[in-house]
Amino acid sequence: MTLRLRQIGDPILTQVAEPVSHFRDPDLHRLIESMLSTLKDSNGVGLAAPQVGSLLQVLIVASRPNPRYPDAPQMQPLVMINPQLLAASSEQVLGWEGCLSVPDRRGLVARSREVEVEYYTPQGSRQRVVWQDFPARIFQHEYDHLIGRVFLQRHP
Ligand SMILES: O=C(CSC(=O)[C@H](Cc1ccccc1)CC(F)(F)F)c1ccccc1
Ligand SMILES: [Zn+2]
């Protein structure tokens, strides 16, 4: 089932998400399934749990080539639980971003060109990944959602 996408202004988008503690919780797997179908229906390239009303540290990165990033890799959606940013390059790149919670807005955002991330899969195994360019950008955008930051929004 696809979940309602919270829009900018919904307080949940400014809150900090909690780590997942039990991986065998059936509610967690229902959330992940719902996020995957919501992402598919919204035609997005990323999604974070707070955007569908759940303050859990779960996000999905699903890069694919698109007009703005024609050389972006085609990825199977990657579900990341309790992600940790281990390293982010000081080298930054300006790039266009959109956000399913901020419809009809596109913005130029500076992001690290490369990130190293540690995360858990839905099965609970710990993984590490290094991304550059568009996948790195999507990750940083979704990771912001887990700490209550929405792109283009400056907290007073
Ligand atoms: O479908 C979108 C809409 S915006 C989007 O997918 C956000 C992810 C994103 C798009 C572009 C750059 C960084 C993150 C998803 C969100 F809102 F949940 F974070 C899209 C935008 C740019 C390139 C390719 C696709
Ligand atoms: Zn977003």
Side-chain angles (χ1 to χ4, degrees):
M1 112 202 178
T2 65
L3 298 166
R4 174 169 69 87
L5 265 166
R6 303 303 174 93
Q7 300 302 296
I8 193 91
D10 186 321
I12 200 168
L13 291 175
T14 60
Q15 287 166 32
V16 176
E18 294 292 317
V20 167
S21 35
H22 0 271
F23 285 77
R24 273 186 293 286
D25 179 349
D27 287 343
L28 173 69
H29 296 280
R30 265 191 287 276
L31 169 69
I32 290 168
E33 285 317 309
S34 306
M35 287 177 70
L36 285 164
S37 60
T38 304
L39 182 66
K40 205 159 132 270
D41 291 358
S42 61
N43 210 12
V45 290
L47 189 65
Q51 292 182 279
V52 293
S54 166
L55 277 178
L56 283 177
Q57 290 180 14
V58 181
L59 64 83
I60 305 175
V61 174
S63 164
R64 64 172 188 273
N66 62 86
R68 284 223 173 97
Y69 300 88
D71 49 3
Q74 176 73 34
M75 275 174 63
Q76 282 305 313
L78 183 67
V79 178
M80 305 177 99
I81 296 176
N82 300 344
Q84 282 190 303
L85 187 56
L86 300 180
S89 63
S90 50
E91 183 198 358
Q92 302 227 318
V93 182
L94 259 185
W96 287 101
E97 296 188 11
C99 184
L100 300 172
S101 299
V102 187
D104 317 324
R105 287 290 304 275
R106 285 276 185 270
L108 265 177
V109 179
R111 300 285 189 186
S112 293
R113 197 179 82 73
E114 179 172 286
V115 292
E116 181 178 11
V117 180
E118 182 170 277
Y119 67 95
Y120 289 84
T121 66
Q123 292 71 37
S125 77
R126 194 167 59 172
Q127 309 285 333
R128 241 180 232 209
V129 66
V130 176
W131 275 322
Q132 293 85 26
D133 306 323
F134 194 46
R137 174 173 300 279
I138 298 171
F139 173 80
Q140 292 170 83
H141 178 114
E142 303 311 333
Y143 191 66
D144 274 355
H145 278 299
L146 298 188
I147 48 179
R149 266 213 295 260
V150 184
F151 96 126
L152 299 183
Q153 186 176 48
R154 296 267 170 276
H155 284 294

